[in-house]
Amino acid sequence: MTGGPPQQPGGGVRWFVEGWQPGYGTSFEASEAGAPGTTDDGSDATDLAVELDPAAWQALRQPADVRAPDVVLLVDGVRRIDASLWSDEPDGVSYPAIAASYAAGVVRCDLRAGAATLAGARPERGLFTPSAAATDLTVGQIRYPARRVDHPDPATLPQVVQPALAALEIAVSEQARAGADSADDELLVVDGPLRGRQLPNTVGYIKSVSKTYLPANLLPVVTGLRPAERSPVFLHGTRWRTYSWYLRLPGPRGAPWAGIVRVECRPDITAQAAIALADLSLAVLPRFASTPYKDPRAPQNLVPIAGLERRLRAMLGDARLLHRALSLSAARR
C-alpha cells in the first residue's frame, strides 16, 4: 500500500486520526441487541397463537412430507472500523468520523451434489460522518467514499455502518439469485436478523439469543427442545414485525440454551407460509451445524458461514496497515 496524504478536494476539511486501533485489527458483526432499528418489543405486541394455542405449546419436529430444497443460499456480512477520525472544519467546528470497511457474500450449497461454492462477494468502504463538508478520503489506492449520517455521538457512530452492510447483503443476495428460475426453488438464510428486508423465501438466522420474546411459562418448551426440534411459530415486534421460532441444533447438551437459535421470516406472508418456512428450517439448518473441535462457536456458527466469514475478512485487507496509512497521511498534512 502506498502512502500519500488523504485527498481533500477543495481543501476544506482536515482530518485527525485517533491513535488507538479500533477493534484491534479484528472484524466484528452487529449483534442483535443494540443494532440500529431494533426495538425493545413488549409482550403486548406478541401473538403467541400463530401456530398453536399457548396452552398447547410443545416441541415440534420436521413433518415427514417436508424435504430440504435442492439449493440453499447463505448470506453473511462483516464490518470493521479502520480508524476513528475528527474533522477540522474551516469554521472551527469539529465532527467525529469513522473510516469503515465492510463486505458481504453468499455461499451456494447444492444439496444434491453435496457441493458449496462462493456465489458472490463484494467489499466496500466508507467515511461515515455528520460533517456536511466531508469529501471522499483517499489513501494511496484505497478510497473511503464520504457518507453523511445524522449521528453526532462518537460512541454510536459505528452503528451507522450496519444499514450500509445490510444494503450490500441484499445486493449480493439478489445477484446470487439472478440466474435462478424461481426463488421458490431455494432457501436463502441470512446470518442475523432480517431487519425489515423483504426477500422472498428467506429466513433470518440469529445464533446469539439475547432476548426471549416469550413469557416465562413458555420458556421450558424452548429449553426442553431436543436436537432438530423447534418451538411453535409466533409473531412479535413493534417497529418491525417478524414471525419467529426457536430451534435446537445437534450437538453436545450443555446449558439450557446451548445450541438454541432463533429463526425469523418476513411478516407480510400468511401464517401458513411462515409455518412452512419453519418446517423447512428443520430440514436445512441442523445439517450445517458446526462441531466444537472445529469452531468455538459450535454448533450455532454454521459451517458455510464460518468459511464465508474468513473469506470476507481477508477481502477487507490488513486493518493495522490501513490504520497506519491513515494516521501517517493525516500527520503529513
Side-chain angles (χ1 to χ4, degrees):
M1 181 185 300
T2 59
Q7 297 175 5
Q8 311 289 347
V13 179
R14 181 182 179 188
W15 294 102
F16 296 92
V17 179
E18 293 278 3
W20 51 271
Q21 296 186 9
Y24 301 100
T26 61
S27 299
F28 63 93
E29 301 173 75
S31 64
E32 182 180 6
T38 56
T39 58
D40 188 8
D41 300 319
S43 59
D44 59 337
T46 301
D47 180 4
L48 300 172
V50 172
E51 185 171 9
L52 292 177
D53 185 272
W57 263 43
Q58 60 179 327
L60 302 174
R61 299 191 66 85
Q62 176 186 339
D65 60 343
V66 173
R67 69 172 186 87
D70 293 333
V71 174
V72 178
L73 301 173
L74 297 100
V75 59
D76 191 18
V78 297
R79 61 176 187 161
R80 185 185 66 211
I81 309 303
D82 294 332
S84 298
L85 306 94
W86 287 91
S87 69
D88 184 11
E89 310 279 330
D91 58 4
V93 179
S94 185
Y95 292 97
I98 53 173
S101 298
Y102 51 99
V106 180
V107 176
R108 184 181 188 272
C109 297
D110 187 331
L111 301 187
R112 289 181 301 175
T117 57
L118 184 65
R122 190 189 310 172
E124 288 190 1
R125 306 184 197 273
L127 176 69
F128 297 84
T129 177
S131 170
T135 55
D136 295 358
L137 183 62
T138 304
V139 181
Q141 299 182 7
I142 303 297
R143 184 171 68 92
Y144 294 86
R147 300 177 183 269
R148 190 173 185 276
V149 295
D150 189 21
H151 266 255
D153 184 358
T156 61
L157 191 56
Q159 296 179 4
V160 302
V161 183
Q162 182 58 37
L165 176 57
L168 186 59
E169 289 178 353
I170 291 175
V172 297
S173 299
E174 292 175 343
Q175 182 180 7
R177 273 181 162 172
D181 296 332
S182 171
D184 295 334
D185 299 329
E186 57 194 22
L187 178 68
L188 178 67
V189 180
V190 175
D191 189 55
L194 293 178
R195 296 191 180 97
R197 286 174 279 193
Q198 302 299 306
L199 298 169
N201 212 35
T202 298
V203 297
Y205 174 80
I206 299 90
K207 57 177 171 276
S208 179
V209 179
S210 59
K211 298 179 182 179
T212 60
Y213 299 102
L214 299 176
N217 65 305
L218 292 181
L219 293 182
V221 175
V222 178
T223 56
L225 294 174
R226 295 181 179 181
E229 289 184 343
R230 67 170 178 88
S231 74
V233 175
F234 58 98
L235 182 66
H236 71 93
T238 51
R239 180 181 176 183
W240 286 337
R241 304 277 282 172
T242 60
Y243 288 108
S244 285
W245 57 95
Y246 292 97
L247 182 153
R248 189 185 290 275
L249 298 172
R253 194 64 181 262
W257 286 86
I260 291 180
V261 298
R262 184 171 67 84
V263 190
E264 65 181 26
C265 65
R266 52 196 289 184
D268 59 338
I269 60 177
T270 65
Q272 290 73 20
I275 294 170
L277 280 174
D279 288 335
L280 195 60
S281 71
L282 281 176
V284 170
L285 297 178
R287 70 177 61 207
F288 294 129
S290 54
T291 54
Y293 73 91
K294 289 185 177 181
D295 194 321
R297 291 182 289 173
Q300 286 95 325
N301 200 38
L302 303 181
V303 172
I305 292 295
L308 178 59
E309 286 177 345
R310 290 192 293 269
R311 177 72 67 89
L312 294 177
R313 291 191 182 105
M315 296 177 71
L316 298 185
D318 191 293
R320 293 169 295 180
L321 291 179
L322 284 169
H323 185 270
R324 182 173 181 271
L326 286 164
S327 300
L328 291 175
S329 297
R332 291 192 187 104
R333 296 185 62 86

